[in-house]
Amino acid sequence: SPNPADNNTVFTFKSLSEGRAQLEVFDMAGAKVADVYNNNMEAGLTYNVNFDVNTLATGIYMFRITQNGQTEMGRLVINK
């Protein structure tokens, strides 16, 4: 889990099948504040994606990872 983040955080996720993956961050009002990752993935590999949170204010955000039509959501806490 990438929490809490102060300057930089790492999202780690595994691709179950080959295809496109997208990782986005939203504020609590639902507005997208960052496109962290949007690329093709190889099946069975683990990806570590760095995210610099310095442009975001202290607070709670939601992240969404979408891979091949499946979506996972989580909470990101930024504490500067």
Side-chain angles (χ1 to χ4, degrees):
S1 176
N3 292 302
D6 54 7
N7 293 313
N8 187 60
T9 192
V10 178
F11 290 95
T12 301
F13 51 96
K14 185 173 183 175
S15 177
L16 301 178
S17 60
E18 186 174 321
R20 193 140 198 94
Q22 187 173 18
L23 171 57
E24 304 162 293
V25 177
F26 300 86
D27 64 20
M28 294 307 287
K32 187 186 328 183
V33 296
D35 282 308
V36 180
Y37 185 87
N38 188 358
N39 214 333
N40 289 321
M41 299 178 69
E42 294 183 41
L45 295 181
T46 299
Y47 288 79
N48 296 306
V49 179
N50 290 313
F51 178 47
D52 180 355
V53 301
N54 284 315
T55 60
L56 301 178
T58 295
I60 299 173
Y61 296 82
M62 300 301 294
F63 64 87
R64 178 174 66 194
I65 300 172
T66 305
Q67 299 181 60
N68 298 324
Q70 296 185 353
T71 299
E72 180 181 335
M73 303 246 345
R75 187 174 73 164
L76 172 64
V77 178
I78 298 177
N79 187 12
K80 296 183 186 180

